[in-house]
Amino acid sequence: MTRRKLLIALITVLTLALTAVVTDIATGFITGDRTQAPSAAPRPGGPPAAAPTAAAPEAGNTGGAGDTPVTGETPAAFVAPDEKARYVGTSDDGRFTIAVVVWATRAIAHVTDGAADEAWLSGTAGGSALLLTGEDGEAVFHGTVKDGSLTGTASRGSWKAAFTLPAVEAPAGLYRAAGQVGQERVTLGLIVRPDGSQTGIQWTDGTPRPAPGWDLDGPTVTFGGTELRVEAVAPDDV
């Protein structure tokens, strides 16, 4: 009986010890903490897991449904490098359309009636004053920037035009295109107003005519089935 009692007592002690170990494991208090991090999965009935955050669009790639796709290049180089300001408007008498583009130390102006008479002028820009001249020496352009507008006069030969031009942003501005179309050399000067309307002259082998319309959604104009690239004027163009 004594051995039997000892055996029963030993079994009881082992059972109690095993129960204590199991309890410690279940509650996470056993030496060498084995507690697991909470699962990231949502609990039943809880809020759904957050959807992955969409990557922010790259600068210049914000096209949406119905927008012109942006591929890293602005359609038709609307702005030349290092440009500081551009002005577009009409002469006081309504005869001429005028555009001026200003860089740090240089400026270009274009004056045109959109039919057969035009002048390209260039010169040095400094402070608020512009003094530009044409290649033939006859065209002269004086302008002063004040309160966000460019005021002055342009003259060539028998005509002189006063103006006050507001500052504008692309795509309004001054553009050129040139190329060979069949056997003819074609050049184009084009002024785009803020409302998208345009005035300019197309020269074909030295003969002027009103410039064709330009679709601002694309970088080219078409002459006789040939596409010519339209680009904003650059400091060395004139």
Side-chain angles (χ1 to χ4, degrees), residues 22-136:
V22 172
T23 300
D24 285 343
I25 293 174
T27 58
F29 293 114
I30 192 169
T31 303
D33 187 11
R34 299 181 184 179
T35 303
Q36 298 292 321
S39 172
R43 296 191 301 272
T53 302
E58 296 180 3
N61 289 278
T62 56
D67 293 340
T68 301
V70 178
T71 58
E73 179 185 6
T74 303
F78 280 145
V79 180
D82 302 321
E83 183 180 307
K84 291 185 63 178
R86 52 176 62 186
Y87 304 88
V88 172
T90 305
S91 61
D92 292 351
D93 61 9
R95 178 182 175 187
F96 296 100
T97 301
I98 304 171
V100 181
V101 184
V102 181
W103 293 270
T105 59
R106 188 167 175 79
I108 291 176
H110 184 49
V111 182
T112 179
D113 66 358
D117 198 356
E118 67 175 13
W120 288 90
L121 309 96
S122 63
T124 301
S128 61
L130 299 179
L131 175 57
L132 314 178
T133 58
E135 292 181 348
D136 57 9

Side-chain angles (χ1 to χ4, degrees), residues 2 4 52 72 77 79 87 126 134 147 155-158 187 194 196 199 213 228 233:
T2 301
R4 184 177 180 182
V79 180
Y87 304 88
D147 298 330
S155 61
R156 181 184 181 186
S158 61
T187 61
T199 297
L228 300 180
V233 294

Side-chain angles (χ1 to χ4, degrees), residues 178-184 186 220-229:
Q180 195 72 22
V181 179
Q183 302 299 315
E184 299 176 322
V186 175
T220 62
V221 289
T222 301
F223 296 93
T226 299
E227 291 188 344
L228 300 180
R229 183 174 180 81

